[in-house]
């Protein structure tokens, strides 16, 4: 029997799925619609569901310090991604081709550095940065994010290299090519999709970070997630700006996640354990 | 090039490719961990010069831990938070996976949208729930008001504060368990349940005797993943309750943060963090061991 009579997309089931999705996403949609409301509309009761959307929150963000934090987020996330790939991709290839003993122990040791709760790194990083003057700098953030993303790169990229048959490289090696050349000219072009997916996941991890940025930055290197929280201040909460800022922070995440949804699970579980 | 020449060439490449990563990981992951242990042996306070190198009674911090009611409380709070949120995430995730396990283009398209809460930046998730829990502007409170029902303040209430965190955490992470269970469900051959159906089994019986045994391992594993990660619920607690009311939602992670960055008790905070790390590592290693055993049995 090819099509199960138990698993059928009946109209009732499709309605149930749609309703569930709507309920699940309603908190998220509420933030989104609020970002297009004026402050008066936000405080109105009952809340108007149909209203003339305004861009005033986004415009005032553009003219505020928030735009600088957005640039800080972009810079620290992309630089740390580049650095983690530069270091991690060759390492993943070496681990993939390494037949020696200790391969699994080493891979696991690399992963362990990622399992620890961020606070374990924050205290030493904070003290060290304070000492050498890296607090509140993009360089400081890039270093932390690189240390968090490097294990992810190594773990994500290994399976991609594993799928490339060794015979392909051996032919070139027998002809006298250097491994370095084989790696850059033959192997790397074949794993470009894997590199792209890994890069996006690294970018998202750095982009999503709140904890490190909260503690290791003040004003100069403040990132967008921290800036959003700063709209909840003593003079009262600027909900319009909070909603618009939150929406801006999640925009790249939503776009990129759609692009790499196939790799999402392996990327997310690499943070935990692979037995 | 001869065989051994290739091997030697490979070996030198491996060294060249691995060394930079290992140096970096050592410098920015292993060294900090060692330094954390070192500071945990001192009474280090930022305001107290010399305290960072005072090793006169190295185990003092660890000795204080069992008698510190906030530390003991934080472990209990974490246990409660982890237990309920992991339980709900596994159950609701499984329910969603069963609902969406149908071959249909529309459903495949919809699946992606079910993942949204999990990929959102954690601080945005916290902002979203802050919005839901803030009486003046929350749709939840609007609805209650329209129904002439007085809603208690959820995040500052002794009875609801932890529940409020559990709800938000469950919302954020149930896509993860959903995704894992769905993947497991799709490996079950339809023939099994078809055969049971022909034999006259009810849908409930099929679920209980065919589906559930199949997905049990993945339920356990995804629950374990979430358990390990549940100590990272920092943004939710930071924004929604700040650990309060009192210390009702103060998990160990948050307590360590307050100690280090609010009261400057770096040394004591390090000790709290080391204990937390050991607990997380213990659970993780238990997981790996379970995974190995499963592989050996399979």
């Amino acid at each position: 029997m090819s099509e199960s009579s138990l698993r059928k997309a009946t109209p009732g089931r499709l309605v149930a799925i749609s309703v569930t999705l709507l309920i699940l996403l309603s908190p998220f949609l509420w933030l989104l619609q609020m970002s297009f409301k004026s402050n008066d509309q936000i405080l109105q009761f009952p809340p108007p569901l149909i209203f003339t959307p305004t861009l005033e929150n986004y415009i005032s963000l553009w003219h505020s310090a928030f735009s600088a934090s957005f640039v800080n987020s972009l810079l620290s996330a992309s630089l740390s991604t580049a650095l983690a790939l530069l270091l991690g991709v060759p390492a993943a290839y070496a681990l993939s081709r390494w037949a020696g003993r200790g391969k699994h122990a080493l891979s696991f040791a690399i992963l362990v550095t990622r399992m620890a709760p961020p606070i374990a790194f924050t205290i030493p990083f904070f003290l060290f940065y304070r000492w050498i003057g890296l607090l509140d700098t993009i360089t400081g953030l890039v270093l932390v994010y690189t240390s968090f993303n490097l294990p992810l790169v190594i773990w994500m990229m290994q399976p991609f290299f594993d799928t490339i048959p060794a015979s392909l490289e051996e032919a070139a090696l027998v002809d006298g090519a250097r491994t370095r050349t084989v790696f850059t000219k033959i192997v790397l072009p074949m794993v470009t999709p894997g590199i792209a997916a890994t890069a996006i996941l690294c970018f998202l991890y750095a982009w999503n970070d709140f904890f490190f940025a909260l503690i290791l930055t003040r004003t100069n290197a403040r990132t967008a997630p921290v800036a959003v929280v700063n709209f909840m201040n003593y003079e009262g909460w600027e909900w319009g700006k909070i909603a618009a800022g939150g929406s801006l922070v999640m925009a790249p995440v939503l776009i990129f996640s759609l692009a790499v949804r196939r790799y999402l699970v392996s990327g997310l579980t690499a943070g935990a354990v692979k037995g | 090039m001869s065989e051994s020449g290739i091997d030697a060439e490979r070996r030198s490449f491996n060294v060249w490719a691995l060394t930079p990563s290992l140096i970096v990981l050592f410098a920015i992951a292993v060294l900090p961990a060692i330094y954390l242990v070192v500071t945990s042996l001192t009474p280090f306070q930022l305001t107290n010069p010399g305290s960072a190198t005072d090793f006169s009674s190295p185990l003092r911090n660890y000795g204080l831990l069992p008698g510190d009611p906030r530390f003991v409380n934080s472990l209990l709070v974490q246990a409660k938070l982890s237990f309920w949120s992991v339980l709900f995430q596994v159950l609701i995730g499984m329910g969603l996976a069963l609902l969406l396990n149908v071959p249909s283009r529309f459903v495949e398209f919809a699946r992606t949208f079910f993942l949204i809460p999990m990929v959102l930046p954690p601080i945005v998730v916290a902002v979203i729930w802050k919005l839901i829990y803030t009486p003046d502007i929350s749709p939840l409170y609007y609805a209650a008001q329209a129904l002439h029902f007085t809603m208690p303040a959820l995040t500052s209430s002794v009875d609801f504060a932890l529940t409020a965190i559990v709800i938000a955490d469950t919302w954020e992470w149930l896509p993860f368990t959903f995704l894992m269970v769905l993947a497991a469900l799709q490996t079950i051959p339809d023939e099994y349940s078809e055969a049971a159906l022909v034999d006259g089994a009810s849908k409930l019986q099929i679920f209980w005797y065919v589906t559930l045994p199949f997905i049990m391992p993945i339920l356990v594993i995804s629950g374990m993943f979430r358990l390990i990660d549940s100590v990272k619920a920092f943004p939710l607690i930071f924004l929604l309750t700040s650990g309060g009311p009192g210390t009702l939602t103060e998990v160990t992670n948050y307590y360590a943060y307050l100690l280090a960055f609010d009261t400057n008790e770096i040394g004591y905070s390090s000790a709290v963090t080391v204990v937390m790390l050991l607990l997380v590592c213990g659970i993780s290693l238990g997981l790996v061991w379970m995974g190995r055993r499963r592989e050996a049995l399979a």
Side-chain angles (χ1 to χ4, degrees):
Chain A
M1 216 176 291
S2 59
E3 193 87 327
S4 168
S5 51
L6 282 166
R7 302 199 298 124
K8 252 198 217 134
T10 56
R13 194 182 269 226
L14 292 184
V15 170
I17 290 173
S18 310
V19 171
T20 315
L21 184 60
L22 193 66
I23 295 172
L24 183 77
L25 291 190
S26 55
F28 155 82
L29 294 171
W30 193 262
L31 181 86
L32 207 58
Q33 59 93 30
M34 203 157 128
S35 73
F36 295 105
K37 279 180 171 173
S38 68
N39 262 331
D40 290 345
Q41 286 166 330
I42 287 174
L43 295 172
Q44 217 169 308
F45 179 80
L49 287 177
I50 296 159
F51 59 94
T52 320
T54 165
L55 286 176
E56 67 179 58
N57 296 319
Y58 289 96
I59 292 166
S60 70
L61 280 186
W62 175 256
H63 293 296
S64 74
F66 184 82
S67 43
S69 344
F70 203 81
V71 173
N72 286 341
S73 276
L74 276 178
L75 270 178
S76 51
S78 32
L79 289 176
S80 63
T81 301
L83 199 56
L85 286 175
L86 195 70
L87 292 164
V89 172
Y93 177 66
L95 274 177
S96 162
R97 291 296 180 266
W98 185 11
R101 302 173 96 224
K103 172 181 169 168
H104 292 290
L106 186 60
S107 302
F108 187 70
I110 289 171
L111 191 64
V112 166
T113 59
R114 202 191 164 79
M115 297 189 317
I119 180 101
F121 293 95
T122 325
I123 295 174
F125 268 104
F126 175 79
L127 296 173
F128 182 64
Y129 281 7
R130 197 168 156 268
W131 182 46
I132 62 166
L134 273 179
L135 274 185
D136 204 15
T137 62
I138 301 282
T139 316
L141 280 184
V142 169
L143 280 181
V144 200
Y145 296 156
T146 305
S147 78
F148 246 62
N149 277 331
L150 191 50
L152 179 75
V153 173
I154 295 176
W155 270 80
M156 285 276 299
M157 287 309 297
Q158 260 197 74
F160 285 101
F161 290 124
D162 288 345
T163 59
I164 297 177
S167 55
L168 207 73
E169 297 155 53
E170 263 149 30
L173 286 172
V174 169
D175 286 345
R178 315 240 353 175
T179 316
R180 207 168 301 188
T181 323
V182 172
F183 173 63
T184 50
K185 293 274 155 63
I186 301 176
V187 179
L188 268 192
M190 295 178 75
V191 295
T192 320
I195 294 180
T198 309
I200 291 177
L201 279 175
C202 287
F203 183 90
L204 291 183
Y205 265 110
W207 181 269
N208 281 355
D209 165 67
F210 173 70
F211 192 64
F212 287 121
L214 175 75
I215 290 159
L216 301 178
T217 70
R218 291 288 173 270
T219 47
N220 296 329
R222 179 192 291 157
T223 59
V226 181
V228 170
V229 172
N230 280 338
F231 288 128
M232 302 179 175
N233 53 33
Y234 303 110
E235 292 113 61
W237 295 344
E238 304 169 82
W239 276 110
K241 281 188 190 170
I242 293 168
S247 304
L248 282 177
V249 172
M250 67 195 185
V253 174
L254 292 175
I255 296 164
F256 279 158
S257 307
L258 284 177
V260 292
R261 60 182 190 279
R262 273 178 56 209
Y263 307 98
L264 219 52
V265 183
S266 50
L268 286 160
T269 51
V273 169
K274 283 189 177 175
Chain B
M1 214 186 277
S2 66
E3 279 291 307
S4 61
I6 291 179
D7 281 352
E9 157 77 10
R10 266 240 188 273
R11 216 166 296 132
S12 80
F13 174 85
N14 280 354
V15 171
W16 172 84
L18 269 169
T19 311
S21 280
L22 293 181
I23 291 174
V24 168
L25 280 177
F26 184 76
I28 56 187
V30 180
L31 281 186
I34 296 171
Y35 189 55
L36 183 78
V37 175
V38 172
T39 47
S40 79
L41 304 175
T42 67
F44 193 1
Q45 287 172 312
L46 281 178
T47 44
N48 186 357
S51 58
T53 46
D54 176 7
F55 294 102
S56 55
S57 91
L59 294 178
R60 174 186 161 271
N61 291 327
Y62 293 97
L64 288 174
L65 286 175
D68 177 356
R70 273 179 86 171
F71 173 71
V72 176
N73 169 68
S74 75
L75 290 176
L76 289 173
V77 172
Q78 181 68 65
K80 270 192 260 180
L81 174 62
S82 297
F83 176 80
W84 289 111
S85 53
V86 171
L87 182 72
F88 288 136
Q89 282 158 26
V90 170
L91 289 183
I92 302 173
M94 182 183 73
L96 275 183
L98 288 168
L99 183 68
L100 267 83
N101 185 28
V102 286
S104 142
R105 288 233 148 206
F106 166 75
V107 174
E108 250 166 61
F109 173 73
R111 259 173 223 159
T112 311
F113 293 93
F114 276 89
L115 305 185
I116 286 180
M118 168 176 73
V119 298
L120 290 181
I123 196 63
V124 175
V125 172
V127 165
I128 287 175
W129 285 94
K130 184 86 188 172
L131 179 60
I132 304 286
Y133 291 141
T134 302
D136 292 341
I137 50 158
S138 157
L140 206 62
Y141 286 85
Y142 288 143
Q145 202 173 335
L147 296 168
H148 301 288
F149 165 75
T150 320
M151 207 62 164
L154 293 179
T155 49
S156 55
S157 146
V158 174
D159 298 318
F160 294 109
L162 194 63
T163 312
I165 303 277
V166 169
I167 292 173
D169 193 69
T170 301
W171 183 81
E172 182 175 6
W173 290 108
L174 72 87
F176 177 80
T177 47
F178 156 71
L179 209 55
M180 301 271 280
V181 179
L182 187 65
L185 283 177
Q186 289 176 340
T187 63
I188 306 179
D190 280 338
E191 284 76 13
Y192 287 31
S193 36
E194 291 296 339
L197 199 64
V198 171
D199 288 345
S202 72
K203 279 189 176 177
L204 197 67
Q205 283 173 321
I206 292 176
F207 169 74
W208 193 256
Y209 294 108
V210 181
T211 315
L212 200 58
F214 243 106
I215 60 171
M216 207 37 153
I218 210 74
L219 290 181
V220 173
I221 288 169
S222 52
M224 287 295 198
F225 276 150
R226 286 303 314 137
L227 181 67
I228 291 175
D229 258 11
S230 66
V231 298
K232 296 176 187 166
F234 182 85
L236 281 178
I237 291 164
F238 178 84
L239 210 56
L240 294 183
T241 63
S242 308
T247 55
L248 278 174
T249 59
E250 192 175 87
V251 293
T252 315
N253 194 28
Y254 195 76
Y255 181 45
Y257 158 78
L258 288 181
L259 282 172
F261 301 105
D262 210 46
T263 51
N264 285 333
E265 293 278 358
I266 303 273
Y268 189 54
S269 175
S270 302
V272 170
T273 308
V274 168
V275 171
M276 199 170 78
L277 261 176
L278 290 177
L279 285 175
V280 173
C281 285
I283 297 172
S284 308
L285 286 176
L287 244 182
V288 173
W289 179 77
M290 271 175 53
R292 287 264 160 78
R293 222 177 53 139
R294 255 174 47 75
E295 261 170 42
L297 289 174

